[in-house]
């Protein structure tokens, strides 16, 4: 027996607008489980799995990836068609830059139409599945409306939705065929299931309590993995050799039921945007919620200290989450190895190559919400810097830079190309082109306070100061209250 969902009149002229089924369920807590499931099904596709491993920051910066994905989906379902068109154009530019080959020599291209259709298919199917697993299956009319919305989503990206069947009944045959014949036990899918949760870094809210986070992650990680595996289509689980854990189906249904009940909490408590923003806040931010975050962090530090006393997780003390800065500069130095792992290796594969610098350009472009030609100028500046780094540091000629090659380099790498990156970034941040960065422009890039983050006293941030701070961070291997949240935090 199906459970009806409150209906709103569909807007056929604007299927992705505020009356869509997507909007009705956007803050549904069950999406936390369903999106993990959809991501595994995406990563199990050979082309998507290869693109994720080569280009994505989902291993090293999962919270950043979550926030950017959330913002993109918000824009793609905005009531204003112009906002949707602009976001679709941005996504297409981003995907155009992602192509290559996997470990077996098979080519992948993020603009492949069939592959992009599979991404949309996993989101729709996981949305339907999350309702079914939580005991509230969608009725046929609601499913058809929702499917039409996701086809409109694909059409906004590709110009048409021809890669997905027009009829919902045909969609299920299409979905089963891809699961049966095309999905593989890819490395990217294995990383999400078995490594991502085990090594998931703390969000900014919890980064001052490493012991508390590690203890909770040690319990929650395997449970999330088991729940996700149990929710995957049985043909894929069989072909991929995924384990059948006793009790996992019951645990999975219990998790979806509990998440479903959470939707009856007050709206502000489960608002996805509020949750993501609060998790991302750091002390010192001028966001009104920062005071609450600071109080929570203080309590978590105490809980973490108590946990270390009662149940130490290892013989080694916890690393100091807030290394002591130098009195003169408010900064502290990193070793070459630390800087390589924390800043340069954005994709987490242990090497520095173009996808790492492209990930930096992508994050900066996303923060600044750049259009053309500013976005291409920023990517081009990073590409020139990559060629300069490769020429100087790639001593074995393998096309990438190892941590050993980087550590053996001269301490400063502030060459002309890096200076150019800083100048282009300044121009992109200085939206009004007046030669200085004001408080609003500053927050757009850094999402932090203005005066407290700078040593300037005239209320502006000039080009020379901006370039100097950027070079100090990128070449001097110094910590920075500005750039760490931008390029280092998860």
């Amino acid at each position: 027996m199906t459970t009806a969902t409150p209906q709103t009149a569909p807007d056929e002229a604007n299927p992705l607008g505020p009356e869509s089924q997507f909007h009705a369920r956007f803050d549904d807590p069950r999406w936390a489980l369903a999106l993990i499931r959809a991501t595994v099904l995406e990563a199990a596709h050979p082309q998507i799995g290869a693109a994720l491993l080569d280009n994505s920051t989902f291993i090293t910066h999962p919270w950043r990836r979550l926030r950017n994905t959330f913002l993109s989906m918000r824009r793609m379902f905005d009531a204003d068609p112009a906002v949707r068109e602009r976001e679709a154009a941005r996504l297409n530019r981003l995907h155009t830059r992602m192509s290559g080959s996997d470990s077996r020599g098979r080519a992948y291209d993020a603009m492949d139409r069939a592959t992009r259709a599979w991404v949309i298919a996993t989101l729709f199917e996981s949305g339907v599945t999350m309702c079914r697993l939580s005991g509230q299956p969608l009725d046929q009319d609601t499913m058809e409306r929702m499917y039409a919305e996701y086809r409109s989503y694909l059409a906004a990206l590709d110009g048409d939705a021809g890669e997905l069947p027009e009829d919902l009944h045909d969609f299920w045959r299409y979905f089963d065929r891809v699961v049966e014949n095309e999905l593989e036990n890819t490395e990217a899918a294995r990383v999400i299931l078995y490594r991502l949760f085990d090594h998931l870094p703390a969000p900014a809210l919890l980064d001052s309590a490493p012991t508390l986070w590690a203890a909770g992650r040690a319990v929650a990680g395997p449970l999330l993995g088991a729940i996700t595996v149990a929710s995957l289509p049985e043909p894929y689980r069989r072909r991929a050799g995924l384990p059948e854990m006793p009790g996992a189906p019951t645990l999975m249904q219990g998790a979806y039921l509990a998440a479903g009940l959470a939707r009856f909490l007050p709206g502000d408590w489960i608002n996805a945007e509020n949750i993501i923003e609060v998790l991302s806040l750091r002390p010192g931010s001028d966001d009104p919620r920062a005071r609450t975050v600071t109080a929570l962090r203080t309590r978590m530090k105490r809980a973490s200290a108590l946990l270390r006393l009662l149940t130490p997780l290892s013989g080694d003390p916890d690393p100091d989450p807030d290394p002591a800065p130098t009195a003169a500069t408010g900064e502290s130095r990193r070793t070459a190895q630390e800087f390589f792992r924390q800043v340069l290796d954005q994709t987490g594969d242990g090497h520095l190559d173009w996808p790492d610098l492209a990930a930096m350009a992508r994050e900066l472009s996303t923060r600044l919400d750049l259009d053309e030609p500013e976005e291409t100028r920023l990517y081009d500046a990073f590409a020139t810097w990559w060629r300069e780094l490769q020429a100087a540091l790639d001593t074995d000629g393998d096309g990438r830079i190892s941590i050993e090659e980087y550590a053996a380099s001269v301490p400063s790498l502030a060459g002309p190309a890096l200076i150019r990156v800083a100048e282009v970034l300044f121009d992109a941040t200085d939206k009004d082109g007046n030669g200085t960065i004001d408080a609003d422009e500053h927050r757009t890039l850094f999402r932090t306070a203005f005066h407290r983050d700078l040593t300037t006293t005239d209320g502006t941030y000039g080009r020379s100061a901006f370039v100097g701070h950027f070079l100090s961070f990128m070449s001097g291997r110094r910590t920075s209250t500005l750039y760490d949240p931008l390029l280092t935090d998860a």
Side-chain angles (χ1 to χ4, degrees):
M1 181 176 179
T2 60
T3 301
T5 303
Q7 299 292 312
T8 55
D11 184 353
E12 295 182 0
N14 192 11
L16 302 182
E19 304 302 325
S20 66
Q21 290 295 310
F22 174 86
H23 271 271
R25 292 176 172 78
F26 193 85
D27 292 322
D28 193 318
R30 292 173 293 184
W31 271 116
L33 299 171
L35 282 177
I36 297 172
R37 178 183 184 276
T39 303
V40 172
L41 290 173
E42 292 171 20
H45 192 287
Q47 286 213 34
I48 300 172
L52 285 173
L53 284 180
D54 285 351
N55 299 278
S56 179
T57 61
F58 78 100
I59 296 176
T60 52
H61 301 286
W63 300 106
R64 178 202 299 173
R65 170 76 188 274
L66 172 65
R67 187 181 193 280
N68 290 343
T69 300
F70 169 83
L71 290 175
S72 178
M73 293 188 72
R74 278 285 201 199
R75 292 167 179 166
M76 287 301 296
F77 282 84
D78 194 274
D80 185 353
V83 173
R84 300 200 299 269
E85 291 171 5
R86 186 167 180 266
E87 179 62 14
R90 187 190 72 84
L91 290 173
N92 286 335
R93 292 196 305 271
L94 183 154
H95 291 147
T96 299
R97 298 183 172 101
M98 296 182 184
S99 60
S101 58
D102 65 12
S103 58
R104 294 167 55 181
R106 296 177 297 183
Y108 70 82
D109 183 350
M111 286 297 289
D112 178 75
R113 287 168 57 89
T115 303
R116 285 150 68 92
W118 177 246
V119 172
I120 304 302
T122 63
L123 291 172
F124 167 72
E125 190 273 344
S126 291
V128 173
T129 298
M130 79 176 188
C131 295
R132 178 175 57 82
L133 292 179
S134 56
Q136 293 184 316
L138 301 177
D139 60 60
Q140 188 67 24
D141 288 343
T142 302
M143 270 196 293
E144 289 181 352
R145 277 188 59 191
M146 193 161 77
Y147 182 58
E149 292 168 8
Y150 278 91
R151 290 189 82 246
S152 296
Y153 189 168
L154 180 60
L157 292 173
D158 276 355
D160 63 69
E163 291 295 331
L164 284 179
E166 184 173 352
D167 185 77
L168 179 59
H169 295 288
D170 294 332
F171 168 81
W172 297 117
R173 287 193 288 270
Y174 152 82
F175 185 87
D176 292 342
R177 176 181 57 77
V178 175
V179 169
E180 291 266 8
N181 301 326
E182 298 186 34
L183 299 193
E184 299 177 1
N185 186 16
T186 63
E187 183 179 354
R190 293 193 298 272
V191 165
I192 296 169
L193 286 172
Y194 300 119
R195 283 175 46 197
L196 184 59
F197 297 135
D198 288 344
H199 301 90
L200 187 68
L205 175 63
L206 301 175
D207 64 3
S208 63
T211 303
L212 188 64
W213 176 258
R217 183 181 59 194
V219 175
L223 288 178
L224 280 171
I227 289 168
T228 304
V229 169
S231 70
L232 296 173
E234 194 277 334
Y236 174 69
R237 286 187 282 122
R238 183 179 64 248
R239 291 179 60 241
L242 298 179
E244 295 279 353
M245 293 183 59
T250 302
L251 176 66
M252 170 197 66
Q253 290 192 319
Y256 274 93
L257 283 169
L261 292 174
R263 73 186 187 282
F264 295 111
L265 294 171
D268 289 344
W269 291 18
I270 60 173
N271 180 275
E273 186 169 8
N274 288 343
I275 293 172
I276 291 174
E277 290 291 344
V278 169
L279 286 173
S280 303
L281 284 176
R282 300 179 62 87
S285 169
D286 55 354
D287 189 293
R289 296 166 293 186
R291 184 176 299 177
T292 302
V293 170
T294 301
L296 285 172
R297 285 167 61 96
T298 300
R299 294 185 181 183
M300 288 172 185
K301 281 185 178 181
R302 295 173 182 169
S304 183
L306 178 61
L307 188 62
R308 286 200 302 272
L309 291 174
L310 296 176
T311 56
L313 296 180
S314 68
D316 299 325
D318 278 336
D320 186 356
D322 299 308
T326 61
T329 65
E331 299 175 338
S332 60
R333 290 297 300 270
R334 291 184 176 94
T335 67
Q337 292 82 0
E338 288 172 336
F339 187 80
F340 188 93
R341 295 190 184 98
Q342 295 172 8
V343 180
L344 295 179
D345 185 13
Q346 291 280 310
T347 60
D349 64 356
H351 292 85
L352 173 63
D353 52 13
W354 166 240
D356 294 303
L357 270 64
M360 294 184 197
R362 186 164 64 246
E363 174 61 18
L364 295 170
S365 298
T366 300
R367 289 244 183 167
L368 295 171
D369 196 19
L370 297 183
D371 282 324
E372 292 287 25
E374 288 81 7
E375 182 182 275
T376 295
R377 288 182 63 218
L378 187 61
Y379 271 90
D380 287 347
F382 271 95
T384 302
W385 185 39
W386 164 240
R387 290 191 291 270
E388 184 178 84
L389 288 173
Q390 192 176 25
L393 303 182
D394 182 18
T395 56
D396 60 8
D398 66 351
R400 56 187 187 174
I401 299 168
S402 69
I403 191 170
E404 292 79 16
E405 289 173 324
Y406 175 76
S409 69
V410 293
S412 178
L413 297 174
L418 183 58
I419 295 173
R420 178 58 178 163
V421 169
E423 291 174 341
V424 171
L425 181 57
F426 177 86
D427 291 338
T429 307
D430 178 21
K431 294 288 190 181
D432 57 13
N434 67 352
T436 60
I437 293 175
D438 61 27
D440 289 337
E441 292 167 340
H442 182 273
R443 292 189 192 97
T444 299
L445 179 60
F446 296 111
R447 300 194 188 114
T448 55
F450 187 52
H451 294 286
R452 291 198 298 272
D453 291 332
L454 304 172
T455 57
T456 55
T457 58
D458 60 357
T460 62
Y461 195 11
R463 177 183 291 269
S464 61
F466 183 95
V467 171
H469 287 147
F470 185 81
L471 295 181
S472 175
F473 175 74
M474 294 301 297
S475 63
R477 299 197 293 262
R478 294 187 179 277
T479 60
S480 167
T481 56
L482 289 175
Y483 290 101
D484 273 337
L486 183 61
L487 294 174
T488 304
D489 285 0

